[in-house]
Amino acid sequence: QVQLVESGGGLVQAGGPLRLSCAASTTFFSIYTMGWYRQAPGKQRELVARITSGGSTYYADSVKGRFTISRDDAQNTVFLQMNSLKIEDTATYYCSQDRSTRNYWGQGTQVTDSS
């Protein structure tokens, strides 16, 4: 049973930082690619960032230079550091564990513009 629990969401002001965390209860965490996705109201879920077991990263064009994904395999945790937040970053953010057969998802954490 894979459980992913996101935390760190909340109200943010444009230009501000926020750090999301995702704690995974899974064996062999270190071998899996982990990702952060987001879904805004009325829009499809989109990939924000991804990090492989070897540490290679991918970012959506919309967040390049502002967001940083990282992982701590000893803690079974993946992070998303978000800087210079924009109104369009408002969404529910989901953590995922990407396996060959399927993705596992967390319940999501809400990032909301406070203005």
Side-chain angles (χ1 to χ4, degrees), residues 3 8 14 17 20-21 28 33 41-42 74 76-77 79 82 84 87 96 100 106-107 112:
Q3 282 192 317
L20 305 182
S21 300
F28 307 116
T33 292
N76 281 15
T77 303
F79 304 97
M82 305 187 293
S84 303
I87 292 176
S96 77
S100 58
Q107 82 289 347
T112 306

Side-chain angles (χ1 to χ4, degrees):
Q1 186 78 10
V2 177
Q3 282 192 317
L4 303 174
V5 180
E6 301 97 336
S7 60
L11 293 173
V12 293
Q13 288 189 332
L18 199 65
R19 190 191 198 207
L20 305 182
S21 300
C22 170
S25 60
T26 177
T27 54
F28 307 116
F29 174 84
S30 63
I31 72 172
Y32 296 113
T33 292
M34 300 296 297
W36 283 98
Y37 293 71
R38 67 186 180 189
Q39 187 167 19
K43 295 188 177 181
Q44 288 190 328
R45 190 172 298 190
E46 63 174 353
L47 174 64
V48 175
R50 178 184 285 148
I51 186 166
T52 69
S53 58
S56 296
T57 56
Y58 164 85
Y59 296 95
D61 287 343
S62 58
V63 307
K64 275 181 185 176
R66 300 188 299 121
F67 290 12
T68 302
I69 188 171
S70 61
R71 63 191 297 161
D72 182 343
D73 290 340
Q75 298 295 323
N76 281 15
T77 303
V78 63
F79 304 97
L80 185 68
Q81 178 66 45
M82 305 187 293
N83 296 325
S84 303
L85 281 163
K86 302 178 181 180
I87 292 176
E88 51 263 41
D89 294 320
T90 296
T92 300
Y93 284 72
Y94 298 91
C95 173
S96 77
Q97 185 175 81
D98 301 348
R99 299 193 182 191
S100 58
T101 54
R102 59 166 291 181
N103 280 21
Y104 288 88
W105 300 93
Q107 82 289 347
T109 186
Q110 185 77 30
V111 175
T112 306
D113 176 53
S114 63
S115 60

